[in-house]
Amino acid sequence: MTADEFLVWAEGRPGRYELDAGAVVTMSPQRARHARAKSRVQRALERALERGNLSCEAFADGMTVRVDRETVYEPDALVQCGAYIDEDAIEIADPIVVVEILSPSTRSIDSGEKLTGYFRIPSVQHYLIVDAVKRLIIHHRRGDGDLIETRIVAEGMLRLDPPGLDLDLAGLFPARPPA
């Protein structure tokens, strides 16, 4: 299946799917930890964009990103800058920040093929992998040429430049609830 065929097939279909090298992949149901982490990341991105007064928009999962002719991913969150996205759009062509929340079933995919796939998109400057269990972010950043720089951040502010936003990690990993 091509990306174009997949987007037509997937629209309005119940469940969540991605396309990997032409094959449809059904996404597993998410755990509460995963859903909470997605919500926190979304709110943190929106707050950072507001503080930076940037003409960018944060999207929660549900928007698709085309990697190539036969690969389409649905990241847990993303940031797109520039022109306003049409209300009926289902695809973001030029994300600048892409976020995936680790889950037991996707750990190797998020750290492997999605890492290389997202950076094949010229607009992607940052790929954040959020580990909600270890309470940290693995930040992959596009460097000069074909260099991808990686660092692990567990607290403080994470500067994402471009587009020029400061992501406050305090809101991502709140104090653990009492046992």
Side-chain angles (χ1 to χ4, degrees):
M1 187 179 289
T2 68
D4 288 335
E5 292 166 339
F6 169 79
L7 292 173
V8 170
W9 174 87
E11 190 170 9
R13 184 176 296 274
R16 296 177 55 221
Y17 306 92
E18 291 183 328
L19 185 68
D20 185 16
V24 174
V25 177
T26 302
M27 298 172 71
S28 299
Q30 61 188 2
R31 298 170 191 258
R33 176 186 300 116
H34 193 96
R36 287 182 182 123
K38 281 198 300 191
S39 293
R40 289 182 185 120
V41 165
Q42 177 69 21
R43 288 192 306 268
L45 288 170
E46 288 173 347
R47 286 190 300 267
L49 291 171
E50 288 171 12
R51 278 193 310 273
N53 198 30
L54 300 169
S55 60
C56 303
E57 190 171 4
F59 289 92
D61 69 335
M63 299 303 294
T64 57
V65 174
R66 183 186 308 236
V67 172
D68 60 33
R69 188 177 179 280
E70 296 180 327
T71 305
V72 176
Y73 294 142
E74 185 181 307
D76 289 315
L78 63 83
V79 173
Q80 184 274 339
C81 299
Y84 183 76
I85 300 298
D86 182 89
E87 294 290 334
D88 292 324
I90 60 171
E91 182 178 358
I92 302 294
D94 56 353
I96 193 164
V97 178
V98 179
V99 182
E100 293 285 0
I101 312 296
L102 285 182
S103 64
S105 63
T106 65
R107 179 173 297 278
S108 64
I109 295 166
D110 292 341
S111 301
E113 60 193 69
K114 284 191 177 183
L115 170 63
T116 57
Y118 283 132
F119 279 109
R120 289 178 33 213
I121 303 167
S123 63
V124 172
Q125 298 298 309
H126 306 275
Y127 174 40
L128 307 179
I129 301 175
V130 178
D131 188 327
V133 173
K134 293 182 180 175
R135 303 166 66 85
L136 56 82
I137 291 180
I138 304 165
H139 174 209
H140 301 283
R141 177 186 164 305
R142 187 181 300 274
D144 293 330
D146 60 356
L147 179 66
I148 302 299
E149 301 169 344
T150 301
R151 66 185 181 138
I152 299 171
V153 184
E155 61 185 1
M157 297 294 267
L158 175 58
R159 178 75 176 173
L160 302 178
D161 199 18
L165 64 87
D166 293 305
L167 190 61
D168 185 1
L169 273 61
L172 295 182
F173 308 115
R176 295 178 193 260

